[in-house]
Amino acid sequence: MERTVQSANETLTKEKLRAREVEHELRTIKGKYEGLQEVLSKKDKDHHEKFLEKNKEIEMITQQAQIQIKALENKLKEAEDCFMKYKENTHEQNNEVTLEVNYRIVSVR
């Protein structure tokens, strides 16, 4: 019976030792897991910050493009106005030349 108790004690001691080893392994794994979580969290934060920065850059570029488009639209409008004035002036000049030519023709006759 003493041998059985001693054998049980030895088994219990071995199991306690193994439990400590397993507990140590679990703590190590838990530490690694938490470390990885921190790294991933930091990377997620970094990626989010980079995304926000890129988004701001895109917004700024878009605003600049809209300003440039508006300026080009204004220049186009000015050019159209100038062309219309030129066309009107040319038409008036042509009419004047036509009238002058007609007047001279009539005068010559």
Side-chain angles (χ1 to χ4, degrees):
M1 176 132 157
E2 203 171 298
R3 267 191 172 292
T4 306
V5 170
Q6 185 179 3
S7 177
N9 281 337
E10 287 174 1
T11 303
L12 182 61
T13 303
K14 286 179 184 176
E15 290 300 317
K16 283 181 180 179
L17 183 61
R18 179 67 188 137
R20 282 188 202 135
E21 290 172 357
V22 169
E23 187 179 353
H24 176 72
E25 288 175 16
L26 284 174
R27 274 196 293 262
T28 302
I29 291 170
K30 184 180 177 186
K32 288 179 182 178
Y33 174 78
E34 289 171 350
L36 287 173
Q37 285 293 85
E38 287 178 26
V39 168
L40 288 175
S41 177
K42 185 177 180 339
K43 284 188 178 187
D44 284 347
K45 184 179 177 184
D46 290 345
H47 286 301
H48 183 67
E49 287 175 3
K50 286 180 184 177
F51 170 77
L52 291 177
E53 287 175 15
K54 289 294 181 186
N55 200 24
K56 283 182 183 178
E57 287 177 28
I58 290 169
E59 286 176 8
M60 287 174 52
I61 291 169
T62 301
Q63 288 174 352
Q64 290 172 351
Q66 288 172 342
I67 290 169
Q68 290 174 347
I69 288 169
K70 187 66 177 170
L72 289 173
E73 287 173 346
N74 290 339
K75 286 184 179 181
L76 178 61
K77 177 76 171 117
E78 288 176 19
E80 288 172 344
D81 291 345
C82 287
F83 177 74
M84 291 306 292
K85 286 181 184 176
Y86 168 78
K87 193 174 173 184
E88 288 172 10
N89 289 340
T90 304
H91 182 70
E92 287 177 17
Q93 287 175 355
N94 285 343
N95 283 344
E96 287 175 10
V97 168
T98 303
L99 287 174
E100 180 71 28
V101 169
N102 286 341
Y103 176 74
R104 288 188 181 176
I105 291 173
V106 170
S107 298
V108 170
R109 285 188 187 169

